[in-house]
Each structure stands twice: as C-alpha cells, then as structure tokens.
Amino acid sequence: MPAQLLILDAMNLVRRLHAVQLNQYAQPEAQLAATRAALVQATGKLLGRFRPSHVVAVFDGAPVGFRHRLYPEYKANRQPMPAELSGYLDELQQALLQQGISALLSDSEEADDLVATLACRLARHGGNSVIVSTDKGFCQLLGPHIQLWDHFGQRWLDEAHVQQKFGLSPQQLVDYWALTGVTGSNVKGVPGIGPKRAQKLLQQLDNLDTILTITATGKEQNTVQKHKNDALLARQLVKLVDDIELGVNLQQLRYHNQTKEP
C-alpha cells in the first residue's frame, strides 16, 4: 500500500549522505555538491518506492529544547554538525522543494517531536505514515498506521525487528530506555540496569509504573525503585512528544510531482 504521508528525517538522511562524501572528495565545495546530488537521488528513489499522497522533510531548527532545560547534559556527547554543512542546509531545502518536498522545522521544538506529532496526529484520524530514518527512537511510534523505513539498510524497522532486537513490544521501548538510558543522547537511565536486566523486568512486569509501584521481589526491581527519579527523568527525555502545534495542515504537504533537474 502506498504511504499517505512520507516523513523524511532530513538530518538523519543528510548527515549520513554527507559523511560518505567526506571520504570521496577533498574540497568542502565538492563534498556539499555531492551531498546535494545524493540527497536528490535518495529522495527520488523514496518517492518512487512509496508513491505518497503527501510528503515532508523535517529538519532540526531547535538546538536547545525542553529536554536541554530538564537535563543540560542532554546530547552533550554528540558531534556538532560540520559548519560548512550547516551553512548549506538552505540549498538542500531548495533542492528538496524542487522535488515537491516542503521542509518543516521549528525554532523551539526538536525534529523528532515534529515527526512524532505529524505521524501520530494522522494516525489518530486513521491515516498512514512512513517515517524514513535509521533512528531507533522512532520505533516507539510503531503501530497499525505508522511504519519506519531504514533507507540505508533497505529494510523495515518493524515490530518483528523490535522483538528480535529488544525482546519487547514497541509500546515498551520508552520504559526500556528509561531503565537502560540512551548513550547516543547522553541519557543515563538507572545505574546498574543494562539491556538484559531491563528486558527481564519489563517481560515480567510489563511497564515502568508497575516496576515502581508494586513491592520489590528482586534486586533489579529494588534498584529501580531506589533510583525512581532517574528512571522518570530518563523516560521524560526519551519519550517523543506527539501533540506539538505545528502551524501546518496536511493539505499543505500534498505531493505534486514537480521534479526539476537539479
């Protein structure tokens, strides 16, 4: 079935494409031009594959959001975007616009929350979305109306993938990451609770609220209860927000095939 809405996690796509060009070209100008060409090629393939009725590319426009205010060390371990690429984003957005793909970004909200809001808002009305990203954080959104496609691996990151990788359902992932933390975002989680212990707790007790509220029957559960505040903070940091005021409607994202030569 074609996707009704194709949502591109633009910076996930752009940064991975740009990283490839760093190894191919010595001069920044050549690297950027090659990134633009690779982006146009990739999005062209995605449009052909999914044949969406609507499409949008979501960019990061908020270097500091509510998560940074809650936890100043949030994403402190991330490598900043290369300055030359940052200065070239307008050109990349124009290249996408020539393909009929509008860019969406916010001065106050993270791109991941914009993606979640778009997909979940449409799902609540019975509409279907395909999110294009390698970011496992979007797996928490998986459901009958929301799918996740890894363009680079050419595979679905679906419920079967989540079960194989985590031994859990997509609905349990937020609580799983609340326990284990997320290294890539510098979210700490609960000290001493790694993937295997988190998986065991959630397989036994289903969710973090139950782990925190019923009488502890084992060392791991007792550890989580002692570090309740750490777990609740981590959960707030890893859970995507799906009710942001976007300022756009679905009609504005309708895809009109207007591809031009780059």
Side-chain angles (χ1 to χ4, degrees):
M1 291 291 291
Q4 181 171 346
L5 174 62
L6 182 65
I7 306 174
L8 307 179
D9 179 6
M11 291 315 306
N12 179 270
L13 193 58
V14 167
R15 292 196 68 166
R16 290 195 61 157
L17 292 172
H18 183 253
V20 173
Q21 312 314 320
L22 294 178
N23 296 321
Q24 301 293 324
Y25 301 93
Q27 297 302 318
E29 294 82 1
Q31 295 165 358
L32 294 173
T35 298
R36 183 187 189 279
L39 178 63
V40 169
Q41 182 183 46
T43 50
K45 288 181 178 179
L46 289 164
L47 290 168
R49 180 185 186 97
F50 294 110
R51 303 173 62 83
S53 58
H54 299 74
V55 62
V56 64
V58 182
F59 284 80
D60 271 314
V64 177
F66 81 90
R67 293 180 179 85
H68 293 88
R69 291 188 287 274
L70 278 175
Y71 182 62
E73 296 176 31
Y74 176 68
K75 291 188 177 179
N77 57 342
R78 290 241 178 138
Q79 289 292 327
M81 189 190 314
E84 61 273 11
L85 180 59
S86 178
Y88 196 68
L89 292 182
D90 285 346
E91 176 65 29
L92 295 178
Q93 290 169 9
Q94 285 302 312
L96 291 174
L97 192 59
Q98 289 179 355
Q99 293 178 287
I101 305 172
S102 297
L104 178 65
L105 64 162
S106 167
D107 291 333
S108 58
E109 310 292 348
E110 288 187 66
D112 291 0
D113 296 321
L114 300 181
V115 170
T117 296
L118 282 165
C120 292
R121 184 170 295 172
L122 188 58
R124 287 192 284 267
H125 291 87
N128 301 313
S129 299
V130 171
I131 301 168
V132 178
S133 181
T134 61
D135 186 344
K136 65 183 180 182
F138 289 122
C139 288
Q140 65 184 269
L141 302 177
L142 292 172
H145 296 289
I146 301 175
Q147 297 174 287
L148 181 60
W149 175 253
D150 173 1
H151 170 71
F152 297 97
Q154 290 290 293
R155 60 175 180 161
W156 292 106
L157 303 181
D158 53 15
E159 189 168 346
H161 168 79
V162 172
Q163 180 63 41
Q164 180 182 22
K165 185 173 180 63
F166 301 101
L168 301 168
S169 70
Q171 293 72 36
Q172 292 175 297
L173 287 177
V174 169
D175 288 349
Y176 172 82
W177 291 318
L179 294 171
T180 65
V182 179
T183 302
S185 297
N186 204 35
V187 175
K188 302 302 183 186
V190 176
I193 301 296
K196 290 184 178 180
R197 291 179 175 179
Q199 181 191 79
K200 176 184 173 183
L201 282 168
L202 290 169
Q203 287 175 342
Q204 291 176 342
L205 299 173
D206 188 57
N207 60 66
L208 178 60
D209 291 331
T210 300
I211 294 169
L212 291 173
T213 54
I214 70 169
T215 302
T217 58
K219 179 181 177 182
E220 289 87 356
Q221 187 184 354
N222 188 53
T223 297
V224 176
Q225 291 183 353
K226 285 183 178 179
H227 293 275
K228 175 180 178 178
N229 291 338
D230 293 320
L232 293 177
L233 172 62
R235 182 166 68 176
Q236 195 170 1
L237 294 172
V238 301
K239 182 176 175 56
L240 296 176
V241 178
D242 64 4
D243 58 356
I244 292 169
E245 182 55 51
L246 295 173
V248 298
N249 58 51
L250 190 63
Q251 187 59 36
Q252 291 171 285
L253 305 179
R254 179 168 289 281
Y255 174 54
H256 302 286
N257 190 346
Q258 55 188 43
T259 304
K260 301 175 183 177
E261 287 300 318

